[in-house]
Amino acid sequence: MSAEVKVLSASTRTNLEALKHHMKKLGFKYYEEKDGWVTFGTHLMMNGEGVAPDDCISISVRFMDVHADLWDFDLISKLPEVKQAILDFYEAEGIEE
């Protein structure tokens, strides 16, 4: 029995590092990469299953899908900049749809 581990390419890692840097400037911290999704949050909170990000944005590394869960008005006002950072990531990855 073997477990398949999907490793991101070097170019995707580079593009992800650029996205992490931009999101950090906007007030988000990198939280985790899981199942093809990368999640950024403002801080961590305890939930019934352990630790999870609060006020978070998750993006798909392989497809153009975004999930945002924001309650802080200051963060909501940053959404245009967040959107552009994510679009720049997808453009660098060659993802158009």
Side-chain angles (χ1 to χ4, degrees):
M1 188 184 326
S2 66
E4 182 181 339
V5 176
K6 294 185 179 182
V7 178
L8 298 178
S9 70
S11 64
T12 298
R13 285 261 170 230
T14 299
N15 295 334
L16 188 54
E17 287 302 316
L19 178 61
K20 286 180 188 179
H21 179 72
H22 199 115
M23 294 294 281
K24 184 177 180 181
K25 290 193 315 189
L26 295 174
F28 292 91
K29 299 175 188 129
Y30 174 71
Y31 174 60
E32 74 172 356
E33 177 187 319
K34 183 178 178 185
D35 299 326
W37 287 83
V38 176
T39 302
F40 299 90
T42 55
H43 58 281
L44 298 178
M45 64 175 192
M46 293 298 293
N47 66 10
E49 299 175 7
V51 179
D54 197 17
D55 279 330
C56 65
I57 293 177
S58 298
I59 70 160
S60 172
V61 175
R62 296 176 184 89
F63 306 101
M64 191 174 268
D65 290 323
V66 178
H67 170 81
D69 185 13
L70 302 175
W71 294 97
D72 184 315
F73 185 76
D74 288 337
L75 294 175
I76 292 169
S77 69
K78 293 180 181 180
L79 279 177
E81 292 176 79
V82 169
K83 176 184 172 185
Q84 189 58 54
I86 293 170
L87 287 174
D88 290 346
F89 170 80
Y90 285 136
E91 182 180 334
E93 284 295 297
I95 301 171
E96 297 176 7
E97 294 185 26

